[in-house]
Amino acid sequence: MESQAIANLSALLDTNFSDAVTCIFNSKGRVIITGIGKSAIIATKIVATLNSTGTPAVFMHAADAIHGDLGLILKEDVVICISKSGNTPEIKVLVPLIKRAKNKMIAITGNRDSFLGKNSDYLLNTFVEKEACPNNLAPTTSTTAQLVMGDALAVCLLELRGFTSNDFAKYHPGGALGKKLYLRVSDMSDVNEKPQVNPNTNIKEVIIEISEKMLGVTAVVENNQVVGIITDGDLRRMLTKSNDFSHFTAKDIMGANPKCIDANAMAVDAKELMESNGITQLLVEKNGQYAGVVHIHDLIKEGII
């Protein structure tokens, strides 16, 4: 029932929606979103979505508004009132006060003929036939419709503002989401050990280098440029193929043309490169020179995987 109601929402859109988007986009103030009951909870989510996508927004509870919080609304602010019925007592008190202050008001309501619907500047119709609740009482379908309408507003405003993933990262610096948008390979490789040997390094020293640096790998470097890679797996394969490996050097067992990534690349790019090649380490280069190693454990620790 809820999914069908959301599918039907598009048929209810008219010029009120585009005009409301334009009104918010051109406003020099904030968006104040208010409601009562479950609609108030939906309002707080829409506020959060708008704030995180470049449209400053503030939640104002409809009951608190008529007991002093009306002072939140500044001259240039646009007000969005959310109410399924559009006729709750708090809304009937609040709407005339907003109109008197001459703030533009957008209604998100399922009742076009309600007090809120008739007194709004822009009406976004979220009519639903019935709540998913078997008693048709608990706000379920109606609040889902309100939420989707709020998301639609946010996405349209995001596109109008040319809001990019870089902008998104500025508002989401914490957690895995933010890290996917700003964490670079160098942020991880710079704190790791930097294992390296030259092509003529004997096998014993290669084993010591891999063991001491604890990354399961070493770069084979010549003139500060990567010419090969030796992994734990290469050492194991060497042991199965020869009983006497004392005369081996790095160039005898290294893998040529190893997968490398630039230090300035994003951590998510390192993840994709590892996954597509079925490997757990990448050698890091900066300006064409060897700069270190990034390991899949670094990505796990940072929450990228």
Side-chain angles (χ1 to χ4, degrees):
M1 287 178 62
E2 290 194 14
S3 63
Q4 186 59 53
I6 299 310
N8 292 338
L9 271 186
S10 60
L12 301 180
L13 294 181
D14 55 22
T15 55
N16 275 273
F17 181 83
S18 54
D19 290 344
V21 171
T22 302
C23 174
I24 296 172
F25 180 69
N26 291 332
S27 170
K28 295 178 181 178
R30 308 159 301 169
V31 178
I32 309 297
I33 309 184
T34 187
I36 195 84
K38 302 298 188 296
S39 294
I41 297 171
I42 296 300
T44 62
K45 190 278 178 184
I46 298 174
V47 164
T49 301
L50 289 174
N51 280 327
S52 69
T53 52
T55 300
V58 177
F59 170 69
M60 178 183 69
H61 198 283
D64 293 335
I66 58 178
H67 292 285
D69 280 6
L70 202 60
L72 276 173
I73 305 176
L74 303 178
K75 183 179 179 181
E76 301 292 338
D77 291 343
V78 175
V79 180
I80 298 178
C81 287
I82 305 177
S83 172
K84 177 189 176 182
S85 70
N87 287 316
T88 59
E90 294 85 359
I91 292 296
K92 285 187 173 181
V93 174
L94 179 59
V95 167
L97 299 175
I98 295 170
K99 297 288 288 183
R100 188 170 65 187
K102 298 184 179 179
N103 291 89
K104 290 293 183 181
M105 185 168 60
I106 300 166
I108 296 180
T109 182
N111 185 358
R112 297 181 63 91
D113 297 323
S114 64
F115 183 83
L116 174 60
K118 290 180 177 179
N119 285 280
S120 61
D121 295 294
Y122 308 102
L123 189 152
L124 307 185
N125 190 358
T126 52
F127 172 76
V128 297
E129 287 283 351
K130 188 179 179 183
E131 300 288 3
C133 164
N135 298 314
N136 195 28
L137 295 174
T140 45
T141 311
S142 59
T143 47
T144 303
Q146 293 168 355
L147 185 65
V148 171
M149 189 65 75
D151 285 343
L153 283 174
V155 171
C156 288
L157 289 164
L158 178 154
E159 292 183 352
L160 279 176
R161 298 187 195 284
F163 198 81
T164 66
S165 59
N166 288 332
D167 297 315
F168 200 77
K170 289 191 296 185
Y171 295 119
H172 298 77
L177 178 60
K179 288 182 179 179
K180 287 181 179 180
L181 295 168
Y182 74 79
L183 190 70
R184 298 189 181 275
V185 169
S186 59
D187 295 326
M188 298 176 291
S189 62
D190 284 354
V191 298
N192 284 340
E193 295 283 357
K194 189 180 174 183
Q196 66 181 87
V197 297
N198 65 58
N200 295 315
T201 301
N202 68 59
I203 202 64
K204 180 179 179 181
E205 292 177 359
V206 170
I207 294 172
I208 292 172
E209 182 71 0
I210 293 177
S211 298
E212 287 185 346
K213 301 301 171 61
M214 296 187 296
L215 290 168
V217 67
T218 183
V220 182
V221 178
E222 193 169 30
N223 298 322
N224 210 28
Q225 292 188 322
V226 174
V227 296
I229 187 172
I230 301 173
T231 68
D232 283 338
D234 294 322
L235 295 177
R236 288 192 295 272
R237 283 185 287 273
M238 176 194 70
L239 292 173
T240 61
K241 292 179 180 179
S242 176
N243 292 323
D244 181 14
F245 51 84
S246 59
H247 60 286
F248 284 3
T249 61
K251 65 176 178 289
D252 295 322
I253 66 167
M254 73 180 190
N257 303 314
K259 297 298 180 184
C260 298
I261 191 167
D262 190 83
N264 289 319
M266 305 305 294
V268 289
D269 296 329
K271 168 182 173 289
E272 291 174 4
L273 191 56
M274 287 184 194
E275 288 179 343
S276 62
N277 288 280
I279 56 179
T280 57
Q281 306 105 333
L282 288 171
L283 300 185
V284 181
E285 294 180 318
K286 189 172 185 179
N287 299 323
Q289 297 187 326
Y290 176 57
V293 175
V294 61
H295 195 284
I296 193 169
H297 290 159
D298 300 321
L299 299 174
I300 294 172
K301 182 173 67 176
E302 295 291 350
I304 302 300
I305 295 178

